[in-house]
Each structure stands twice: as structure tokens, then as C-alpha cells.
Amino acid sequence: MEDHSVSTRSLCAVVGLSGETFLNALRAALSGSGPALLPISDQLPAPAREALLEALRPTSIRTSDGEQLCPGGLPVKAGTALVIPTSGSTGSPKGVELTARSLTTSARLSLARIDSGDRGARGDRRDLGTRRAPWLCALPVDHVSGIQVLVRCLVSETRPVFLDRFSPEAALAEAEAGCARTSLVPTQLRRLTALGRDLSAFRTILLGGSRAPAGLVEEARRLGARVICTYGMTETAGGCVYDGLPLDGVRVTTEADSGRIVLAGPTLFSGYRLDPGRTREVLGPDGYRTSDTGLVGADGRLTVHGRLDDIVISGGKNISPEPVAALLEAHPAVREAAVTGRPDPDWGQCLVAAVVPADPAKPPSEDELRTWVRERLAPWAAPRRITLLPGLPRLHGGKTDMPALTALLDRDRDRARAPDLNLDLDILERTS
């Protein structure tokens, strides 16, 4: 257990720092020689940033222009190194408090699993050099996955190479220059595979942030990349389950009645900033009660089914959107899909889907997709409405932006289908 004494330390919000400057601040936060950090995306509009600062009350704020005190700021417990704002794809913002111990333990367990896989899969002398090679940081450092790339570098005494703006060509060039390891979200990996080039320079790609579309991982592996699918969240200091198997010391169970996934171990967060009530709801003696459902097989491998708060009750049937979205993505004419529930006067709720065609010139029909789902899952799982889009709106960290997507789907409620695939491209670009 962490030693949470009454001693405190200051909390500095950081916005828009260069990669190297943030790395130095992170090093000081982990060692205790500097303040704890509250990383905030520089893409947040000013009103949203001010609301976040007001809710999480840092003692100071640091930008590229300097640092200034925040009136009314409150310190954090001495063991806290980071407070990471998160709201997932839905819900109100939270400040996840992470200790230096949980962050560095997560990094060490991650590296041990990656290195073990390298030896098992390859077993050649190049792997010694790979484990000392730079990491490519292609994710924002206000997101736990980007931060953990840097923590892994700090604990392994390697250096990161920052990719301020992701492009698949630049990422591959860095990998071929020696940055053999990186962490990506599915959108980035899809752009890499679209190059159709040899990806074997990526000795490890940790893939997380959201569910990978059907076939994406297999395609990346076919092109030579070693891809590890991770499951975790900010509350677990990033991914703590790799390819379905928990990292050493991490325990995964599911609740018998609901299937809720419960995670325990040394990488857990210590609480939500200034919100003890919310903390008590999810963090207890058995671990962290996630909002996800799943199943742990006889081999100890976790299969994630979806989110409890995403369950759609339509005509008395409980439907999880995730399997429906995965099945839609398995259709040869679909590149990616997202599914959610919307109010319906007759059924209470109905299932609606956003589909990105594999070929915009030859989009699938609604009837074709409904039949595909009806015949493979269940009649009631077929979406009542299907909207074609040029892409899914994304949050800063790569997850589907469900509020933005819901707005797009609601705009389409009175149309049988979206005839113009460029209809909402401006919204997609603003939210991705």
C-alpha cells in the first residue's frame, strides 16, 4: 500500500510545454524534487480549460510563457506525482491521482512483459539493442498512454523521440532509424497499415485507447509489426492487461452478477482529485471497479465485452453495442463502425450505428448491414438506423468522441441514410 501521509506538495498545471521540457518536469515529479503535475491539453478551448482549472484547483499553472500562481489552489498528498484529467468518451471530468510508485511500477511491469515477449519470439542478439533503443512518443503527453512512454524511458534510462504531429510516414521513418518501440491508438495504426509498407522496424507497438477495428491488428502483423493489444485506463496508470493477460502482480476478476471487470494490483490510482465520494464508489479492498464488462477464461485471459453504462434496453432486450460494432466492422464493405443507443418512443431505446465505408464509392446498404447483424448475432441487435460517415469523430487521445457522434446521429434521425459522405466532414475535423 502507498504511504499517504499528511504531508503535501504543490500541484502545477502544465499546458503547451515542449516534449523535452515536459519530460524534465515529469522526471522531477516522479523523484519528488519538483511539484506534482496536472497535464492539460493545449487543444482545449479557453472556457473548458478554465472550468478544468476551477474544478481541479492546481496551485500554479505553467505554460511556455512561464509559471504563475493560481489563487485558491490546493496541494496534493506528498505521494502524488500526477493528476490526469479524464472523462473518457462520456461523463463529467475527473482528476485521477497517480503516485510515482504506481506509474513507475506500471512502466517496469510493461517493459518486463515486452522484453519477455521479445526473447520468446525472436531470441536474437538484436533484442538487447532493441531494449535500449529510443521510444517513439507519438501520443499527446496529457494522455496516460503518452505519459507512460516517457515513464518507460525514464525507468529504463532510454530516451524518447517526440513526434509532435503524427504522420505515418514520419513514424515509420523514425522506426527505421531505431525507434523500435511506440504506443499508438487504432486510428494511428490504421494510417500506418494504409501505407502498405514493411512495418517490421516496429519491434513493439502497444495498441490501446479504444477497441481495434476488426482485422486491423492482423493486417499490421502481416506487414511485420509486433502489435500488443493493451487494456487499461488512466486509473490503472495505463495498460495493465496485454493481449488479454494481466501484467505480473495485476489481478483481474469479474463480478458474478454483472460481469463488471475489477482490477487490482500495484498500478492503481489512489483516488479522484477532491472527490472522495466518487473514489469510494469505485475503489475498495477488492480493487478498482471499472465500468467495463468482460469474462476471464480458464486460461486467465480477459475478453472485454463492453461498457456497463453503454447497455441499451430496447423492447425489453439488453443489448451491448460493442459486439454489434465489432460485427459491423467484420463486414467486407465496412472500414470502422460505432454503435450507441438513442431514445425511441416505441421501444424506449433503439440501437443506432455510424458506419465508415471501406470504399465511399460503393457503400453498403442499410438492409445489407442489418441482415448481416441479424443473421449472426440476434434480430434485436440489428441497428434501427445506420448513418454513413467519412470518419468517426475522435477525442484527443484517439477514442471515439461519443457526444460528437451522438450529435451527428441525431441530425440524421429523419433521414433513411446520409446520401452525401462529406455532409459532416467539418464537424469531424473539428472534433478529431
Side-chain angles (χ1 to χ4, degrees):
M1 294 291 292
E2 293 290 338
D3 178 19
H4 296 307
S5 65
V6 295
S7 59
T8 60
R9 65 193 297 194
S10 57
L11 175 65
C12 179
V14 290
V15 186
L17 301 185
S18 69
E20 289 294 339
T21 302
F22 181 85
L23 178 64
N24 291 332
L26 177 62
R27 181 186 289 109
L30 294 174
S31 69
S33 62
L37 301 181
L38 170 65
I40 298 177
S41 170
D42 58 2
Q43 294 187 12
L44 274 184
R49 182 188 303 177
E50 291 304 317
L52 191 60
L53 292 172
E54 183 177 351
L56 300 183
R57 301 181 67 180
T59 54
S60 63
I61 180 170
R62 181 181 177 186
T63 68
S64 57
D65 295 327
E67 185 174 352
Q68 64 184 45
L69 294 178
C70 294
L74 297 174
V76 294
K77 294 176 182 177
T80 301
L82 286 176
V83 177
I84 303 181
T86 179
S87 61
S89 56
T90 61
S92 58
K94 300 166 288 189
V96 178
E97 297 180 325
L98 292 165
T99 65
R101 184 180 300 176
S102 64
L103 288 158
T104 56
T105 298
S106 173
R108 291 190 175 94
L109 293 176
S110 170
L111 289 166
R113 178 64 59 84
I114 293 169
D115 292 345
S116 174
D118 261 349
R119 289 193 295 270
R122 301 177 184 272
D124 57 30
R125 293 180 61 86
R126 290 186 302 156
D127 295 327
L128 292 174
T130 301
R131 293 197 290 273
R132 301 294 299 175
W135 276 74
L136 178 64
C137 186
L139 292 170
V141 294
D142 54 81
H143 187 275
V144 68
S145 297
I147 290 170
Q148 276 293 29
V149 168
L150 304 186
V151 179
R152 292 186 200 103
C153 289
L154 291 173
V155 302
S156 62
E157 298 182 347
T158 56
R159 63 181 180 85
V161 171
F162 293 96
L163 199 62
D164 294 332
R165 184 175 179 84
F166 181 82
S167 78
E169 294 84 0
L172 182 55
E174 293 291 358
E176 291 172 343
C179 291
R181 297 179 173 188
T182 190
S183 183
L184 301 177
V185 295
T187 301
Q188 293 171 318
L189 184 60
R190 180 178 290 284
R191 293 178 63 189
L192 266 176
T193 60
L195 295 176
R197 294 168 56 184
D198 178 11
L199 300 182
S200 60
F202 289 103
R203 303 296 292 275
T204 298
I205 296 176
L206 299 180
L207 186 68
S210 61
R211 173 181 54 83
L216 175 60
V217 174
E218 290 75 10
E219 176 64 11
R221 289 170 177 166
R222 186 187 69 78
L223 293 171
R226 179 189 178 210
V227 181
I228 300 174
C229 296
T230 70
Y231 170 73
M233 54 281 298
T234 308
E235 287 87 345
T236 60
C240 62
V241 177
Y242 281 22
D243 283 338
L245 295 175
L247 298 178
D248 293 344
V250 174
R251 186 175 73 254
V252 181
T253 57
T254 57
E255 295 179 347
D257 56 343
S258 64
R260 182 193 298 269
I261 298 170
V262 180
L263 301 171
T267 71
L268 290 188
F269 74 126
S270 54
Y272 292 119
R273 168 79 166 160
L274 305 176
D275 199 342
R278 179 178 275 177
T279 300
R280 286 191 297 268
E281 289 177 2
V282 300
L283 193 60
D286 295 333
Y288 168 56
R289 300 175 71 245
T290 74
S291 296
D292 297 323
T293 63
L295 178 68
V296 179
D299 59 355
R301 194 176 296 273
L302 172 69
T303 300
V304 180
H305 292 158
R307 291 181 61 85
L308 279 168
D309 51 11
D310 284 344
I311 295 296
V312 176
I313 304 175
S314 182
K317 298 289 188 180
N318 290 0
I319 310 168
S320 177
E322 281 293 310
V324 181
L327 185 56
L328 286 171
E329 289 178 341
H331 190 284
V334 174
R335 181 160 69 89
E336 55 184 339
V339 177
T340 188
R342 302 305 298 145
D344 184 272
D346 298 320
W347 299 91
Q349 288 181 295
C350 69
L351 214 61
V352 298
V355 166
V356 180
D359 181 355
K362 298 178 181 179
S365 70
E366 284 196 53
D367 287 343
E368 179 184 357
L369 294 177
R370 286 198 193 93
T371 301
W372 175 268
V373 174
R374 187 181 298 114
E375 293 179 346
R376 290 164 175 80
L377 199 56
W380 54 84
R384 298 288 299 279
R385 290 190 285 111
I386 298 174
T387 297
L388 299 180
L389 294 174
L392 300 180
R394 301 287 181 183
L395 293 168
H396 189 44
K399 292 183 179 180
T400 302
D401 187 336
M402 291 308 296
L405 180 62
T406 298
L408 292 175
L409 294 175
D410 285 349
R411 286 177 55 181
D412 189 58
R413 64 163 56 94
D414 297 325
R415 289 174 292 198
R417 62 182 296 168
D420 181 4
L421 293 184
N422 293 318
L423 177 67
D424 293 304
L425 187 58
D426 58 330
I427 296 177
L428 291 168
E429 289 176 342
R430 288 200 301 272
T431 56
S432 61

